[in-house]
Amino acid sequence: MSFSSKINQARRVIMQGLASNIGKSTISKKDYSNNPLQVKRILICRPNSRLGNQLLITPLVQELVETFPECKIDLFVRGFLAPILFENYSNVDRTIKLPRKPFKELIGYSKVWFSLRKYHYDLVINVSMSSSSGRLSTQLTRSKVKFFNEDSEELRAKYPDYIHIAKFPVYNLRKYLTQFGIKENNKPVFPLDLKLSPSEIANGKNVLDNIVSDTKKTICIYTFATGSKCYTESWWEPVYDRLKAEYGETYNILEVLPVENVSQIGFKAPSYYSKDIREIGSVITNTEVFIGADSGIMHLASSVDTPTVGLFSISDIDKYQPYNKGSIAINTNKTSTDDLIQVINKILSDKKGE
């Protein structure tokens, strides 16, 4: 185990110890039947720096804006991504950012934690039930209403998709708010949404057209993922060859490259590289289908409303699958390349029929 891994493990142990007895949502004894809870300021606690995990709270933000249209929302996160991802969310106000590497910036890290006491909120929400940092930060805030996001057997039985990481806090919050005189929302949970502007989408098309032929539509692939979620070159190369054989005459095939600038197909396809997350999203939204393993970029593709084929071999499909229109998750331990092609064919056929 590397030194940095040992440090992170120590941090998690400390946080788990501090948060071990924290996690019960506050229950108000006031009668809200004639005067529902008034919510103007909200804090969402998701102290995690990963792209996917921050995109996965966009359905919760949309839910809150629909429920409390005039509210202002602060985000307690790690890293620098949140201001970029929520750039076009007018209700999102402050971003309270923990340093990505707390032990290298210990003073700054501590100051951010203490800053949680600076503001008063009408509602504080912990996104992840398993996050010690999330529970601890929720507890530290100044708010009479604190939602810790506990598991519910009732909701688990009611909703087949209850365990999905983006939907779990929404279903739980809807139920929790009923005690404050707010009618439970039974509509489908919002999809992930980066909220690209028309100018961003147009710019993405220009970028794409400068890489591949603008006379053909484009299939997008992403061959990277972190750790054991990443498929090997021996898996991707024959899949790419099959994609090229099936679609090369009528579609461009574009590989979006990761920040590591590596390719599991040896850079055989035209490729696109950028560190600008919103531009990456704007390019992907101009493609017909995205194919890639469970990763932050897979969730990014879902958040720009591109039909997404999520490839799963390790992580929990039910918990992380893309669910925007046209998207599907595939367990590659149980399916073949032929099955993948059938899925892509259906997506492309449905797109033509729109």
Side-chain angles (χ1 to χ4, degrees), residues 2-123:
S2 67
F3 180 72
S4 60
S5 296
K6 290 179 180 178
I7 291 293
N8 282 328
Q9 185 179 40
R11 179 185 60 82
R12 285 192 290 269
V13 169
I14 292 170
M15 286 298 183
Q16 287 169 0
L18 291 172
S20 59
N21 294 317
I22 296 173
K24 187 173 179 58
S25 299
T26 51
I27 305 295
S28 175
K29 295 181 180 179
K30 182 179 177 181
D31 182 7
Y32 287 91
S33 57
N34 296 316
N35 187 21
L37 178 69
Q38 300 299 307
V39 174
K40 297 295 183 182
R41 296 218 60 103
I42 301 171
L43 176 67
I44 296 176
C45 296
R46 188 61 168 115
N48 186 287
S49 61
R50 291 182 179 179
L51 170 62
N53 284 333
Q54 293 194 17
L55 284 169
L56 285 159
I57 68 174
T58 59
L60 175 62
V61 173
Q62 294 171 83
E63 178 79 16
L64 289 167
V65 172
E66 182 178 71
T67 307
F68 309 108
E70 303 301 319
C71 73
K72 289 297 181 182
I73 300 171
D74 292 355
L75 304 174
F76 177 57
V77 294
R78 281 180 66 191
F80 55 84
L81 283 175
I84 299 169
L85 301 180
F86 292 90
E87 179 179 307
N88 290 336
Y89 279 81
S90 59
N91 292 71
V92 172
D93 190 13
R94 294 181 289 253
T95 304
I96 305 168
K97 303 182 292 292
L98 286 170
R100 291 187 64 186
K101 298 180 179 180
F103 284 93
K104 287 189 176 181
E105 303 176 61
L106 193 55
I107 294 177
Y109 185 78
S110 301
K111 285 182 177 178
V112 175
W113 274 98
F114 283 115
S115 74
L116 289 174
R117 297 288 299 173
K118 184 177 179 180
Y119 307 106
H120 183 274
Y121 295 99
D122 301 306
L123 174 63

Side-chain angles (χ1 to χ4, degrees), residues 241-283:
D241 290 342
R242 181 69 182 277
L243 291 173
K244 190 175 180 181
E246 292 281 341
Y247 308 111
E249 292 296 321
T250 52
Y251 290 88
N252 303 307
I253 300 176
L254 174 75
E255 181 180 15
V256 171
L257 299 173
V259 68
E260 292 83 358
N261 198 20
V262 297
S263 168
Q264 298 298 88
I265 58 171
F267 299 95
K268 292 179 181 177
S271 60
Y272 163 72
Y273 177 83
S274 177
K275 293 183 179 179
D276 185 333
I277 290 297
R278 297 193 71 86
E279 185 180 274
I280 297 171
S282 74
V283 169

Side-chain angles (χ1 to χ4, degrees), residues 34-317:
N34 296 316
N35 187 21
L37 178 69
Q38 300 299 307
V39 174
K40 297 295 183 182
R41 296 218 60 103
I42 301 171
L43 176 67
I44 296 176
C45 296
R46 188 61 168 115
N48 186 287
S49 61
R50 291 182 179 179
L51 170 62
N53 284 333
Q54 293 194 17
L55 284 169
L56 285 159
I57 68 174
T58 59
L60 175 62
V61 173
Q62 294 171 83
E63 178 79 16
L64 289 167
V65 172
E66 182 178 71
T67 307
F68 309 108
E70 303 301 319
C71 73
K72 289 297 181 182
I73 300 171
D74 292 355
L75 304 174
F76 177 57
V77 294
R78 281 180 66 191
F80 55 84
L81 283 175
I84 299 169
L85 301 180
F86 292 90
E87 179 179 307
N88 290 336
Y89 279 81
S90 59
N91 292 71
V92 172
D93 190 13
R94 294 181 289 253
T95 304
I96 305 168
K97 303 182 292 292
L98 286 170
R100 291 187 64 186
K101 298 180 179 180
F103 284 93
K104 287 189 176 181
E105 303 176 61
L106 193 55
I107 294 177
Y109 185 78
S110 301
K111 285 182 177 178
V112 175
W113 274 98
F114 283 115
S115 74
L116 289 174
R117 297 288 299 173
K118 184 177 179 180
Y119 307 106
H120 183 274
Y121 295 99
D122 301 306
L123 174 63
V124 177
I125 299 167
N126 171 45
V127 173
S128 174
M129 182 178 65
S130 61
S131 170
S132 301
S133 298
R135 297 199 309 274
L136 182 60
S137 57
T138 301
Q139 181 65 26
L140 286 175
T141 55
R142 297 171 61 197
S143 177
K144 292 182 179 179
V145 182
K146 299 178 181 181
F147 173 65
F148 287 93
N149 197 20
E150 299 100 343
D151 195 4
S152 166
E153 290 297 328
E154 175 190 349
L155 296 178
R156 188 180 289 270
K158 182 177 180 180
Y159 296 107
D161 55 355
Y162 175 70
I163 69 168
H164 194 284
I165 191 169
K167 299 180 180 184
F168 180 85
V170 175
Y171 287 137
N172 285 343
L173 180 67
R174 288 174 176 178
K175 183 67 175 178
Y176 176 68
L177 290 177
T178 60
Q179 68 182 306
F180 300 104
I182 297 171
K183 185 178 179 181
E184 188 171 359
N185 184 356
N186 291 311
K187 295 191 298 186
V189 175
F190 286 99
L192 279 61
D193 193 352
L194 187 62
K195 288 195 179 297
L196 291 172
S197 68
S199 62
E200 287 177 310
I201 294 171
N203 178 67
K205 187 177 188 311
N206 289 333
V207 172
L208 182 63
D209 290 346
N210 285 327
I211 300 172
V212 294
S213 170
D214 62 359
T215 63
K216 297 192 292 186
K217 294 182 177 180
T218 301
I219 294 171
C220 181
I221 62 174
Y222 182 74
T223 66
F224 191 71
T226 56
S228 58
K229 293 187 292 184
C230 186
Y231 288 80
T232 63
E233 292 181 5
S234 62
W235 188 92
W236 265 111
E237 287 182 347
V239 168
Y240 170 69
D241 290 342
R242 181 69 182 277
L243 291 173
K244 190 175 180 181
E246 292 281 341
Y247 308 111
E249 292 296 321
T250 52
Y251 290 88
N252 303 307
I253 300 176
L254 174 75
E255 181 180 15
V256 171
L257 299 173
V259 68
E260 292 83 358
N261 198 20
V262 297
S263 168
Q264 298 298 88
I265 58 171
F267 299 95
K268 292 179 181 177
S271 60
Y272 163 72
Y273 177 83
S274 177
K275 293 183 179 179
D276 185 333
I277 290 297
R278 297 193 71 86
E279 185 180 274
I280 297 171
S282 74
V283 169
I284 294 174
T285 199
N286 282 285
T287 65
E288 298 301 288
V289 60
F290 172 94
I291 306 159
D294 175 29
S295 66
I297 299 296
M298 181 199 77
H299 293 302
L300 181 68
S302 175
S303 77
V304 297
D305 203 29
T306 294
T308 299
V309 181
L311 308 174
F312 286 75
S313 62
I314 299 295
S315 38
D316 189 334
I317 288 182

